[in-house]
């Protein structure tokens, strides 16, 4: 347990050392990504590095597919 507590300050520093810039995806890139993905009903669109979420937000605006549920 002591080893984990001692490592916490190091982990906090490792998360953001200020050397990796945040770069916003231009609208053209968002458009191209969504055209390439072309999510269909029943499929999931997952953006693993969404940053500010502009790709998934735009996808939610364009593709309003219901997850659906089995009727009983």
């Amino acid at each position: 347990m002591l080893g984990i507590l001692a490592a916490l300050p190091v982990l906090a520093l490792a998360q953001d050392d200020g050397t990796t810039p945040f770069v916003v995806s231009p609208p053209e890139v968002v458009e191209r990504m969504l055209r390439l993905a072309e999510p269909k009903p029943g499929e999931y669109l997952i953006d693993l590095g969404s940053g500010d979420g502009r790709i998934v937000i735009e996808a939610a605006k364009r593709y309003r597919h219901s997850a659906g549920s089995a009727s009983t």
Side-chain angles (χ1 to χ4, degrees):
M1 180 71 163
L2 184 58
I4 293 172
L5 293 175
L8 286 178
V10 175
L11 291 175
L13 290 174
Q15 290 179 3
D16 182 11
D17 64 1
T19 61
T20 305
F22 175 75
V23 180
V24 176
S25 297
E28 302 82 32
V29 172
V30 174
E31 176 65 33
R32 180 75 174 143
M33 298 271 294
L34 292 176
R35 268 201 334 247
L36 288 170
E38 291 186 52
K40 310 277 188 289
E43 295 181 341
Y44 293 97
L45 183 126
I46 300 171
D47 183 3
L48 296 178
S50 63
D52 62 358
R54 69 181 59 225
I55 292 174
V56 292
I57 291 169
E58 185 61 29
K61 290 177 184 176
R62 293 182 188 195
Y63 310 106
R64 298 189 183 265
H65 300 309
S66 171
S69 61
S71 50
T72 56

